[in-house]
Amino acid sequence: MRNNLRINGERLSWRLAELGRIGALPGGGNCRLALSDEDRRGRELVVGWMKELGLAVTVDAVGNTVGLRKGSEDGPPVMAGSHIDTVATGGAYDGNLGVLAGLEVVAALNEAGIATRRPLAVAFFTNEEGARFQPDMMGSLVFTGALPLAEVLSTKGIDGETVGEALARTACAGPAPAGRPEVHAYVELHVEQGPVLEAEGFAVGAVEGVQGISWTEFTLAGQANHAGTTPMRMRHDAGLVAAEIAVFARALAREIDGNQVATVGAMTLHPNLVNVVAERVVMTVDLRNTDEAILQQAEHRLFALAEERAAAEGVTVERRCLARFAPVAFDPRLVARVEAIARDEGLMVRRLPSGAGHDAGIMAAVCPACMIFVPSAGGISHNVREYTAPEDLANGANVLLRLLLELAE
Ligand code: GLV
Ligand code: MN
Ligand code: MN
């Protein structure tokens, strides 16, 4: 009978749409940057739903929020979770799906009058995206004790506000302790955010792990000078070095091939004027690979190139690590269960690695963890056009329901 239990797909889509109204962008998509006023309003909506479903809600010092449903026995809960912050040009699915599908699981159990043996928890973690404050997965890092709270509170965001100031201004923090989580198992349903499932006709992905992530900020300092009068050989052009780093990052990823990716996603030039040689550039490089040794080689080559090109141009280079995560492998038994449950549901399923970072990768350090992927239309994410069909959302949520039930027995 429990295997016949289903989540309500229409209500899941409705909740996603309702949450998507908060921080909605004029042309579609969402901006709910971590610890912004929009994030705060999103939290209020989701916490309200948690309470309606009878969950006991606790919030910790960085705003990680957990809704707990009692089991027939006490003990560490089986947790479903993800995040509800977005990048500045995000969609309605990234993160939100995992949280709201968790609520659907609770609703389905409530409606069927089912009590599980272990408690069930639905969680959302603060600042998974890392778009406003780095590193990404900040909340789950604090939740698991991998990142000290004091360090996080003093971290400045791209707009100059610190995490501590933003927490105080938005009143997103609470008194629950962090750093000693007792979680029996963690399951995160998420949109793939890549093209593989859709292109190959799969309904579900059984995620084997998360690739390694390396975020570096380069600050290049040269000399501002007149664009017309300064001979080319006498320039100290920070803009040129930035361009060389960007071109090299792409060439490096192509040369390594396989799973290596490289992205220059942010670059600011000073003074950023048409007729002035750029004096200063701050830029980011995001490198990722499923293989830690190859990722380290890519880092070394990128850093060496930056030093070499900067020296050649008479520009200084400073490097700051914004985030660094080794690749993570999910619990093999849980990955196998995702695969088996999806098959049993009559869904085409394949194993794949995650290209994006996820809270599940952080939770994997403290408990058995895994992820369920559903297709992203056109493989598009971190884009206002992000979309997943309602049927795919419901399929993923039903796999989540069955796996949580198994784990909670
Ligand atoms: C987080 O969404 C990341 O993978 O950048
Ligand atoms: Mn996400
Ligand atoms: Mn994201």
Side-chain angles (χ1 to χ4, degrees):
M1 123 88 183
R2 291 187 172 202
N3 282 358
N4 295 331
L5 200 62
R6 289 289 177 275
I7 61 92
N8 181 331
E10 272 175 32
R11 191 173 48 199
L12 174 59
S13 289
W14 173 79
R15 283 201 216 273
L16 280 160
E18 284 298 298
L19 183 51
R21 286 154 65 102
I22 301 175
L25 294 168
N30 282 89
C31 179
R32 283 200 314 277
L33 286 168
L35 304 179
S36 61
D37 293 331
E38 291 76 21
D39 184 19
R40 166 77 211 180
R41 284 165 50 216
R43 287 162 178 265
E44 280 165 4
L45 180 66
V46 175
V47 167
W49 284 334
M50 285 178 163
K51 289 181 175 164
E52 273 171 35
L53 289 166
L55 301 180
V57 179
T58 54
V59 181
D60 74 12
V62 277
N64 294 320
T65 301
V66 179
L68 193 72
R69 184 179 192 265
K70 268 192 180 337
S72 59
E73 293 175 14
D74 287 339
V78 174
M79 182 179 279
S82 198
H83 61 98
I84 59 169
D85 67 316
T86 74
V87 295
T89 53
Y93 304 91
D94 178 356
N96 305 323
L97 172 60
V99 179
L100 300 184
L103 295 188
E104 266 316 308
V105 170
V106 171
L109 296 178
N110 286 355
E111 283 157 12
I114 292 176
T116 55
R117 184 164 76 84
R118 297 179 203 282
L120 271 181
V122 180
F124 58 83
F125 297 102
T126 296
N127 185 34
E128 186 275 346
E129 291 291 6
R132 185 178 177 210
F133 305 100
Q134 289 89 42
D136 49 347
M137 282 79 79
M138 181 179 267
S140 47
L141 285 165
V142 172
F143 186 77
T144 57
L147 197 56
L149 177 63
E151 187 181 322
V152 163
L153 294 179
S154 63
T155 298
K156 243 188 199 145
I158 52 173
D159 46 23
E161 192 172 49
T162 66
V163 170
E165 288 161 355
L167 282 164
R169 191 176 51 74
T170 57
C172 282
R180 281 173 279 110
E182 279 198 283
V183 178
H184 178 72
Y186 177 85
V187 186
E188 185 164 345
L189 170 64
H190 205 284
V191 290
E192 180 199 347
Q193 309 184 269
V196 175
L197 295 177
E198 181 188 67
E200 297 183 0
F202 288 94
V204 170
V207 186
E208 293 179 294
V210 181
Q211 68 181 338
I213 302 175
S214 164
W215 287 359
T216 305
E217 179 188 80
F218 291 97
T219 301
L220 307 163
Q223 188 178 55
N225 213 335
H226 196 293
T229 62
T230 316
M232 298 311 287
R233 69 177 185 285
M234 295 176 72
R235 295 180 182 217
H236 305 292
D237 184 348
L240 172 72
V241 179
E244 288 178 321
I245 292 172
V247 170
F248 180 77
R250 167 63 73 98
L252 181 66
R254 284 203 143 169
E255 185 203 310
I256 294 172
D257 207 6
N259 294 323
Q260 183 65 49
V261 287
T263 306
V264 174
M267 192 186 285
T268 48
L269 284 83
H270 303 270
N272 203 28
L273 297 169
V274 64
N275 56 355
V276 183
V277 174
E279 176 167 50
R280 192 163 167 271
V281 176
V282 182
M283 67 187 294
T284 59
V285 183
D286 173 324
L287 296 175
R288 306 194 193 200
N289 201 306
T290 49
D291 185 309
E292 173 63 21
I294 300 175
L295 182 58
Q296 284 183 21
Q297 283 169 27
E299 286 174 314
H300 290 146
R301 289 180 61 190
L302 178 77
F303 299 165
L305 180 283
E307 299 284 347
E308 180 208 311
R309 297 320 307 156
E313 184 67 7
V315 164
T316 63
V317 53
E318 272 174 38
R319 220 169 56 221
R320 190 162 71 98
C321 176
L322 299 180
R324 184 64 169 86
F325 300 98
V328 173
F330 288 134
D331 186 283
R333 284 160 310 163
L334 292 188
V335 179
R337 285 313 299 153
V338 171
E339 216 174 12
I341 292 169
R343 274 206 192 105
D344 194 57
E345 290 279 313
L347 302 168
M348 288 278 286
V349 56
R350 67 158 278 175
R351 291 182 176 228
L352 78 176
S354 170
H358 295 290
D359 296 309
I362 308 305
M363 289 298 290
V366 298
C367 67
C370 72
M371 294 188 77
I372 304 159
F373 274 179
V374 288
S376 291
I380 290 175
S381 185
H382 284 190
N383 182 315
V384 296
R385 284 167 48 224
E386 180 182 87
Y387 178 74
T388 295
E391 188 191 346
D392 289 323
L393 301 171
N395 285 338
N398 280 318
V399 175
L400 177 72
L401 166 68
R402 283 187 54 185
L403 182 54
L404 292 176
L405 264 178
E406 272 186 26
L407 291 167
E409 282 317 305

